[in-house]
Structures are given as C-alpha cells and as structure tokens.
C-alpha cells in the first residue's frame, strides 16, 4: 500500500490551515504531507492508520501527527454502504514548523513544544481530559480570523506542552527526522537502525553513545519513554509492517529478516504492541 503525497491549497491571508471535513465518510486516501496535522473527529467511527499503527477512532478522537507521516481514517462499512450526508465530521489543522517565521522554534519559550513536535513524528493520540479543552478551541477556530485565530493555535500549543497522558502510535522505525536530533540521539538511533536485524547488546549501544551501561539505561528510559529492549522490539515490528505493506513477503520470512529468531515470541510481541495478530494486520493492510 503506497502512500500518496497530499497538499491543501494555502490561503494567502492565513499562516496555517483550519478546515472542516464533513460528508458521508472521510474521503482522503492513505497519504502524507510536509505539514503537522491535528485531527479532531466529531462524528463517525472506523479504523485509524498512522504509520504502522492500526487502531479505532470514534467521537472526540484527537491525534497530532508530524510531517511526512503516512495516515488515513477509514470509516466503518456502515458509513460506506449506507451513505448519510454529514455522518462523518472532523476539524483539521495543518501548520508548518515555520508558519509565522523561519526562527519560531529557536525561541526559548518553544523548548517544550519542540519536544512534543519531535514525538509527533510517530503520531500522538491525546486521550487525557485536556483533549476536551483542545476540542472546544478547535471547534471555534473555523469561524475565527486574524489575531484571534492565531491566539487559538498558541493556546492549543500551550495545552499540548503540558500533556502528561498520551500514546505514541507508530513505531520508532516510522518516525520522521525533520527536527534535528542531538549527536548522542543520532549515534544511538543510527546504530540501532543499522543493527536491529541481529542481536544487539546494551553494552554495544552504550559504548556507541560513550556512556556507562547503567547511565545509558537511565538516559534511554528518560528520553525514549521505554526501555532499550522495548525500543528495539518496536523498531523490528515497525520494519516488519513496512515489509508486509510494501513487498510480497510471507509473515515468517519478514519476521526473520527483522531479527526475530522465534516465531512464537514474534507473534506474542506483535500482538502486545499492535493489538492484533500479524496475519490480521496483513489482511487490513491489503484491504486498505
């Protein structure tokens, strides 16, 4: 399933895009674009695919995605077989990293936002109570203009920066790297991405980062919000999903290519992370 590049027309008198997607279903195909995107579903249900993540969406579903991250919202069959006007309704915001100037992300007040935008390269599902505050602001933005509209998106940024409860959707292997990493992060990520298909030890990666093993473990858990082993497993499963999506490979062949030596362990880890079996995932990808 190949993603297509999708562009929205810019409005000459506005620095970012806010629009309402309303109809019998959400028509946009599996796609990506260079802007960040915040999607709020008001009505409808179905499957939400972000990178190699497949989940379900319903009312008040709120997701922030970074640039070039493939995604699609696929309505349930009831919406497709029995079309009803305005059965599907969502508010969407598109903005670029420099939407009000080239150096916007370099100012000190934006340090917390940079962290969130970096994480959004994997897609952020916002499920804390703050999503209702964001939803209220987004719903009003359609009719706003000028400084009021600009103030609203900064109000959303302020709420997003204080989030404590959210879920990253796509695996690290799908992360976009448009925002620069530190040298240490780059060394760690480069080493893992070059070697995930074989056995990797903590000592090897810690040496690559020029850190003691214990220090590396603490650093990794703090920076990546998961253990080193969990991260490598997600990288492997992310690559498996890409192989299954883009190439004609069997599940067993793709699993071994990605570094899983035990098919039983692979099936167990895949279901734990994706919430479905590898064969179920393959069926969904092929159908959509």
């Amino acid at each position: 399933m190949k993603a297509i590049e999708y562009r929205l027309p810019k409005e000459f008198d506005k620095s970012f895009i806010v629009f309402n997607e309303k109809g019998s279903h959400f028509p946009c195909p599996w796609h990506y674009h260079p802007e960040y995107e915040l999607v709020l579903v008001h009505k409808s249900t179905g499957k939400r695919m972000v990178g190699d993540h497949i989940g379900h969406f319903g009312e008040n579903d709120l997701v922030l995605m970074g640039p070039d991250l493939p995604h699609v919202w696929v309505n349930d069959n009831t919406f497709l077989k029995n079309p009803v006007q305005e059965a599907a309704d969502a508010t969407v915001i598109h903005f670029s990293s420099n939407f009000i100037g080239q150096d916007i992300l370099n100012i000190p007040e934006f340090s917390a936002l940079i962290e969130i935008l970096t994480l959004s390269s994997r897609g952020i599902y916002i499920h804390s109570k703050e999503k209702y505050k964001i939803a209220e602001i987004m719903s009003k933005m359609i009719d706003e203009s000028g400084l009021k509209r600009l103030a609203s998106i900064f109000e959303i940024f302020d709420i997003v920066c204080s989030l404590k409860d959210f879920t990253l959707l796509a695996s690290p292997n799908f992360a976009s790297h448009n925002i620069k990493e530190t040298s240490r992060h780059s060394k760690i990520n480069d080493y893992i991405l070059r070697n995930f298909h074989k056995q990797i030890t903590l000592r090897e990666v810690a040496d690559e980062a020029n850190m003691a093993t214990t220090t590396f473990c603490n650093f990794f858990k703090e920076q990546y919000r998961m253990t080193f082993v969990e991260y490598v497993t997600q990288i492997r499963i992310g690559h498996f999903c890409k192989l299954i999506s883009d190439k004609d490979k069997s599940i067993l062949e793709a699993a071994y290519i990605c570094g899983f030596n035990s098919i039983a362990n692979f099936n167990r880890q895949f279901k734990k992370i994706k919430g479905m079996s590898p064969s179920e995932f393959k069926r969904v990808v092929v159908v959509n």
Side-chain angles (χ1 to χ4, degrees), residues 149-203:
R149 185 172 179 271
L150 191 60
S152 291
I153 196 170
F154 275 89
E155 188 176 357
I156 290 173
F157 289 161
D158 185 55
I159 296 171
V160 167
C161 288
S162 64
L163 289 175
K164 301 297 182 186
D165 192 14
F166 57 83
T167 300
L168 298 178
L169 299 179
S171 67
N173 209 28
F174 263 84
S176 163
H177 298 291
N178 291 341
I179 298 176
K180 291 184 179 179
E181 301 169 316
T182 65
S183 175
R184 179 167 283 168
H185 282 89
S186 294
K187 286 181 179 179
I188 292 170
N189 288 336
D190 288 348
Y191 189 84
I192 293 173
L193 289 172
R194 280 188 282 107
N195 296 284
F196 69 86
H197 59 282
K198 60 186 181 183
Q199 186 67 32
I200 309 176
T201 67
L202 273 170
R203 180 70 267 164

Side-chain angles (χ1 to χ4, degrees), residues 27 69 84 94 170 213 262 275:
L69 178 63
V84 177
H94 280 200
T213 303
S262 164

Side-chain angles (χ1 to χ4, degrees), residues 25-267:
H25 65 284
F26 297 133
C28 202
W30 177 243
H31 69 287
Y32 65 94
H33 44 72
E35 295 85 12
Y36 293 91
E37 180 172 341
L38 185 62
V39 179
L40 169 66
V41 176
H42 301 293
K43 292 193 298 185
S44 193
T45 59
K47 290 192 296 290
R48 177 190 351 97
M49 302 174 67
V50 179
D52 58 355
H53 165 86
I54 298 176
H56 295 276
F57 71 86
E59 292 184 6
N60 296 313
D61 191 79
L62 183 62
V63 176
L64 173 63
M65 293 167 290
D68 301 321
L69 178 63
H71 57 278
V72 66
W73 270 239
V74 181
N75 299 92
D76 287 331
N77 285 334
T78 53
F79 293 88
L80 302 175
K81 292 180 179 178
N82 304 295
V84 177
Q85 192 62 27
E86 299 189 5
D89 186 1
T91 297
V92 182
I93 299 176
H94 280 200
F95 64 93
S96 62
S97 59
N98 62 347
F99 75 102
I100 58 170
Q102 292 289 337
D103 298 321
I104 183 173
L105 294 181
N106 294 329
I107 63 177
E109 289 82 0
F110 269 69
S111 59
L113 181 62
I114 291 173
E115 293 180 17
I116 288 293
L117 293 181
T118 302
L119 291 174
S120 75
S121 64
R122 294 176 57 187
I124 298 175
Y125 170 48
I126 301 170
H127 46 75
S128 60
K129 62 181 181 181
E130 283 79 12
K131 76 175 182 179
Y132 297 106
K133 297 178 185 176
I134 296 173
E136 184 179 359
I137 298 167
M138 289 181 68
S139 297
K140 295 176 181 177
M141 288 177 73
I142 294 293
D143 299 318
E144 291 177 346
S145 60
L147 288 177
K148 179 61 178 174
R149 185 172 179 271
L150 191 60
S152 291
I153 196 170
F154 275 89
E155 188 176 357
I156 290 173
F157 289 161
D158 185 55
I159 296 171
V160 167
C161 288
S162 64
L163 289 175
K164 301 297 182 186
D165 192 14
F166 57 83
T167 300
L168 298 178
L169 299 179
S171 67
N173 209 28
F174 263 84
S176 163
H177 298 291
N178 291 341
I179 298 176
K180 291 184 179 179
E181 301 169 316
T182 65
S183 175
R184 179 167 283 168
H185 282 89
S186 294
K187 286 181 179 179
I188 292 170
N189 288 336
D190 288 348
Y191 189 84
I192 293 173
L193 289 172
R194 280 188 282 107
N195 296 284
F196 69 86
H197 59 282
K198 60 186 181 183
Q199 186 67 32
I200 309 176
T201 67
L202 273 170
R203 180 70 267 164
E204 291 171 16
V205 188
D207 286 345
E208 193 73 17
N210 197 27
M211 301 169 76
T213 303
T214 303
T215 306
F216 171 77
C217 288
N218 293 333
F219 168 83
F220 199 95
K221 187 70 181 288
E222 179 183 345
Q223 294 291 312
Y224 290 78
R225 300 189 177 213
M226 64 183 72
T227 67
F228 169 74
V229 173
E230 289 170 337
Y231 185 81
V232 173
T233 299
Q234 288 204 13
I235 289 284
R236 287 171 174 164
I237 286 178
H239 190 60
F240 168 86
C241 293
K242 185 171 178 59
L243 290 177
I244 288 295
S245 300
D246 296 345
K247 298 179 181 178
D248 185 22
K249 292 190 181 298
S250 70
I251 289 174
L252 184 62
E253 183 184 5
Y256 279 116
I257 288 173
C258 296
F260 290 98
N261 296 319
S262 164
I263 194 65
N265 178 54
F266 165 69
N267 286 330

